[in-house]
Amino acid sequence: MKTAIQNIYKSINKKKGGASIIVWVFLALIFYNGNWHLRNYAPEKLKKENIRYWSDAEGYYLYLPAIVNGSFENLPVKTTGKWIKPEGYTFTKYTYGVALLEAPFFIVTHLIVKISAPELADGFTWPYQVMANIIAFFYGFLGMFYLFKLLRKKHSIFVCALTVIGLMYGTNYFYYILRDPGATHIYAFFCVALLFWFISSYYEHKKIKDLIVVSFLIALTALMRPTNLIFVLFFLLWDVNNWKDLSDRFFYWIKNIKFLFISPLIFFAMYALQVYFWYMMSGETMIYSYEAGFDWSNPKIVHVLLHFENGFIMYAPIMVLSIIGLFMGMLKEKNSLLILIVFALMTYVFSCWVKWSFGGAFGYRPFLDFLPMFAIPLAYLFSCIFKNWKLPLQVLTVLFVGYLCKITLTFMKKMPGHLYERPHYNWDSFLDLMERVWF
């Protein structure tokens, strides 16, 4: 029996094309099932009113109906207290990055509504709200597709499939497709997965078109969240794992320094458009987006990782396996040191934010943008297990990953009330919930 299973594993892994299709059909079924299963637990208010673009999500989206309307004035927003200024005009403090990715879907939806039901063509009625989940589903799945392709360069199909399934079900990935599809995080996740794919492609083939795409994606993710500028480090230091690699990379860019001017030009063009939008809505060319700030002398690192209020590991325990894989691969797996540095740096930055829990959320939402980064050490750990451990331990690993995913899914299902009305924001009630989830 053991030999038969191992032979099946080896035969599937050799047939890269056909096996990949089979795996992706399987993953598509899992994805559909997850969407159907979790949709039943959406907050009642949102289900009843069919609202997807509200609060921050509406702020990111406002650019599209404003362009159709010709201005930011008199938009029928849902979150009136947040986006309507006393002077009467509509204002958003957020940049247009998310709206840019939503635009193709918005155009198609608006044209259909304009022809079939013109009275609904204001950008905010139910067809546009339904559109939000379709867009999040599209970019969420496409992000996983490119992440799978990236991992497939180094790992077996089984390892890549287990990694992708673990990230889909074991993190807040599904949450931001189903319950908060207009937030930046799924869009940023897609951009980062695509960014890693094109960075890898650039250093393999040295094609200018890949460099242009990389520059565009870094600018776009930074438009969504300024802290995502940290991904410039991945572009500069991808696959650099020792001093020789660093020296080679430095002299490569000295020799090809003219190519580095491509990125600032793309950045300038994209941010010039943002300046135009700011001027269009407020008459000012620069708007500071956040009222809160940082307290660099008082980081809440333990809170970010382990607090009941959206703690990273508390709501996505599978990330413990990723961290183990990170340290295991420190000397052998390329990018491990870079990932560790970025993880440590961003944990510190997020922990210094005055609102370190990032408000109404499920899990630590800023790290969803970094999910492709965590996939690399997680896949490395699974690869070591499937190469070096015996079959019973491999099976136990798969079952354990399934259990960790079950924990996160159960947290989502048992999360009472609306995002901002969770009564278990104290340790006693949280531990009671945790007992019911884990056991």
Side-chain angles (χ1 to χ4, degrees):
M1 180 66 179
K2 174 182 174 182
T3 304
I5 294 174
Q6 289 175 336
N7 288 338
I8 291 172
Y9 172 83
K10 290 178 181 178
S11 64
I12 290 178
N13 198 42
K14 287 179 182 178
K15 300 175 183 178
K16 293 184 178 180
S20 293
I21 294 172
I22 292 171
V23 168
W24 274 103
V25 169
F26 175 65
L27 292 179
L29 291 173
I30 290 176
F31 197 101
Y32 173 79
N33 176 65
N35 273 272
W36 176 85
H37 184 68
L38 290 177
R39 190 179 299 278
N40 296 322
Y41 298 95
E44 288 300 323
K45 183 178 187 299
L46 299 190
K47 285 202 298 184
K48 183 178 179 180
E49 300 181 15
N50 204 20
I51 295 174
R52 293 295 180 269
Y53 291 120
W54 64 287
S55 190
D56 290 1
E58 189 171 44
Y60 294 114
Y61 168 73
L62 279 180
Y63 291 92
L64 298 175
I67 290 173
V68 171
N69 186 54
S71 74
F72 284 85
E73 297 179 4
N74 302 317
L75 295 177
V77 296
K78 302 294 182 182
T79 325
T80 54
K82 192 163 188 174
W83 307 124
I84 303 295
K85 289 295 181 181
E87 295 81 1
Y89 67 89
T90 306
F91 165 85
T92 176
K93 63 184 181 180
Y94 299 117
T95 48
Y96 72 88
V98 172
L100 185 63
L101 292 179
E102 292 172 331
F105 296 86
F106 176 85
I107 292 169
V108 172
T109 302
H110 188 68
L111 288 175
I112 293 172
V113 175
K114 194 81 172 175
I115 294 170
S116 59
E119 70 278 5
L120 299 178
D122 66 356
F124 293 89
T125 51
W126 68 265
Y128 301 93
Q129 302 294 335
V130 171
M131 173 190 72
N133 277 121
I134 296 172
I135 299 173
F137 179 95
F138 175 81
Y139 285 117
F141 187 80
L142 200 59
M144 280 297 179
F145 176 78
Y146 274 98
L147 182 56
F148 184 92
K149 287 183 65 177
L150 178 72
L151 297 175
R152 191 69 183 95
K153 290 184 176 184
K154 292 185 178 181
H155 305 291
S156 71
I157 287 175
F158 282 175
V159 166
C160 296
L162 186 60
T163 302
V164 167
I165 292 170
L167 295 177
M168 289 165 105
Y169 278 95
T171 67
N172 51 1
Y173 168 84
F174 268 133
Y175 185 96
Y176 283 95
I177 288 177
L178 294 165
R179 298 200 197 176
D180 202 357
T184 60
H185 306 294
I186 282 296
Y187 300 92
F189 160 78
F190 159 74
C191 288
V192 174
L194 198 61
L195 173 66
F196 282 7
W197 171 260
F198 277 99
I199 289 176
S200 175
S201 178
Y202 175 74
Y203 284 116
E204 286 177 10
H205 308 294
K206 304 297 193 299
K207 293 183 178 179
I208 297 300
K209 65 178 183 179
D210 290 337
L211 177 59
I212 293 172
V213 174
V214 166
S215 301
F216 171 77
L217 289 170
I218 292 175
L220 184 57
T221 55
L223 266 176
M224 294 177 189
R225 302 186 75 84
T227 48
N228 287 341
L229 270 174
I230 192 72
F231 289 111
V232 170
L233 291 180
F234 282 94
F235 169 53
L236 296 175
L237 301 176
W238 185 263
D239 280 350
V240 170
N241 221 43
N242 52 52
W243 289 109
K244 183 181 182 304
D245 292 340
L246 184 61
S247 174
D248 291 344
R249 183 63 51 80
F250 175 77
F251 286 108
Y252 168 79
W253 283 117
I254 289 295
K255 183 179 178 181
N256 298 279
I257 194 167
K258 60 181 180 293
F259 295 149
L260 285 179
F261 290 102
I262 294 174
S263 297
L265 288 175
I266 293 174
F267 273 60
F268 176 80
M270 295 183 70
Y271 279 89
L273 182 58
Q274 182 61 60
V275 169
Y276 167 75
F277 281 130
W278 277 331
Y279 186 79
M280 181 180 173
M281 74 175 74
S282 68
E284 299 179 14
T285 57
M286 186 64 66
I287 296 174
Y288 181 67
S289 297
Y290 296 94
E291 297 82 11
F294 292 93
D295 182 359
W296 301 109
S297 63
N298 188 28
K300 307 286 187 184
I301 293 174
V302 175
H303 290 64
V304 166
L305 298 176
L306 297 171
H307 201 272
F308 61 79
E309 191 173 346
N310 300 330
F312 180 47
I313 292 173
M314 299 297 280
Y315 292 92
I318 197 170
M319 287 295 101
V320 172
L321 299 183
S322 180
I323 294 170
I324 292 171
L326 181 59
F327 285 99
M328 284 179 59
M330 194 57 62
L331 298 178
K332 298 180 180 179
E333 180 71 358
K334 288 186 176 181
N335 298 313
S336 292
L337 180 59
L338 176 58
I339 291 171
L340 179 61
I341 291 171
V342 171
F343 178 39
L345 181 60
M346 297 316 298
T347 301
Y348 173 72
V349 171
F350 294 147
S351 71
C352 291
W353 184 245
V354 172
K355 300 178 181 179
W356 61 265
S357 67
F358 284 79
F362 174 75
Y364 207 71
R365 59 188 178 95
F367 275 136
L368 179 54
D369 304 17
F370 293 78
L371 212 56
M373 180 184 81
F374 293 111
I376 295 172
L378 185 62
Y380 177 76
L381 174 65
F382 290 154
S383 187
C384 291
I385 289 172
F386 280 95
K387 285 179 181 178
N388 303 317
W389 290 14
K390 295 183 178 180
L391 184 61
L393 293 176
Q394 295 176 7
V395 172
L396 284 175
T397 300
V398 174
L399 293 176
F400 183 61
V401 170
Y403 176 66
L404 294 178
C405 292
K406 178 257 181 189
I407 290 170
T408 299
L409 287 174
T410 308
F411 263 127
M412 276 190 272
K413 290 190 291 184
K414 291 186 179 294
M415 197 66 70
H418 189 275
L419 295 176
Y420 296 88
E421 298 167 356
R422 290 182 283 185
H424 60 276
Y425 267 9
N426 62 72
W427 275 111
D428 290 337
S429 53
F430 176 78
L431 291 174
D432 177 65
L433 174 65
M434 196 171 180
E435 184 178 352
R436 287 185 284 127
V437 168
W438 282 71
F439 306 107

